[in-house]
Amino acid sequence: MKADENTKKQTDQEEKEKTRNERFLILHNDDHHSFDYVIEALMNVCEHAPEQATQCTLITHYKGKCDVKKGSFTYLSPMKKALVERELRATID
C-alpha cells in the first residue's frame, strides 16, 4: 500500500508542475480586423475548427479578450508570433 501512496504523491506533484507551467495564449480585441480575418487566422495558426475559431472571435469581440490556446510557453510562443505577424494583438499569460 505504501508504493501506491508514493505513486499517487508523485502523480499529484507532476500534475501540479504541469499546471504551473501551463500558460494561455490570449487574443485581444483590436476593432480593426474583420471577423472573417480573425477566424481565418485562428484556424491557420491555432488549428481551430471553424466553429471554435468563430466562438473565440465572438468572445474576443464582446469581452475584449479570449484565451484561444493553452500550453507551455515554448508551445504557445510561435503561435503568438504568427498572430502578431498578422497584426493581431496576442499575449501569453
Side-chain angles (χ1 to χ4, degrees), residues 26-83:
I26 310 291
L27 179 66
H28 298 271
N29 191 22
D30 65 7
D31 291 326
H32 296 292
H33 297 92
S34 70
F35 281 92
D36 289 339
Y37 182 83
V38 177
I39 291 166
E40 191 73 27
L42 290 173
M43 289 177 7
N44 290 332
V45 173
C46 300
E47 299 179 352
H48 284 188
E51 297 82 6
Q52 184 180 12
T54 301
Q55 289 175 347
C56 288
T57 302
L58 288 169
I59 291 169
T60 301
H61 177 73
Y62 288 110
K63 300 277 186 178
K65 63 181 179 179
C66 178
D67 54 324
V68 295
K69 206 73 167 175
K70 180 178 174 180
S72 69
F73 183 85
T74 305
Y75 173 69
L76 298 176
S77 191
M79 288 182 227
K80 176 190 178 269
K81 182 179 179 186
L83 291 173

Side-chain angles (χ1 to χ4, degrees), residues 2-47:
K2 196 141 187 143
D4 289 338
E5 288 177 21
N6 288 339
T7 302
K8 185 177 181 336
K9 285 181 183 179
Q10 183 177 3
T11 302
D12 289 345
Q13 288 173 341
E14 289 171 357
E15 282 299 314
K16 286 179 186 177
E17 185 67 27
K18 183 179 175 186
T19 302
R20 197 175 313 132
N21 290 330
E22 286 186 333
R23 305 278 188 253
F24 292 96
L25 177 61
I26 310 291
L27 179 66
H28 298 271
N29 191 22
D30 65 7
D31 291 326
H32 296 292
H33 297 92
S34 70
F35 281 92
D36 289 339
Y37 182 83
V38 177
I39 291 166
E40 191 73 27
L42 290 173
M43 289 177 7
N44 290 332
V45 173
C46 300
E47 299 179 352

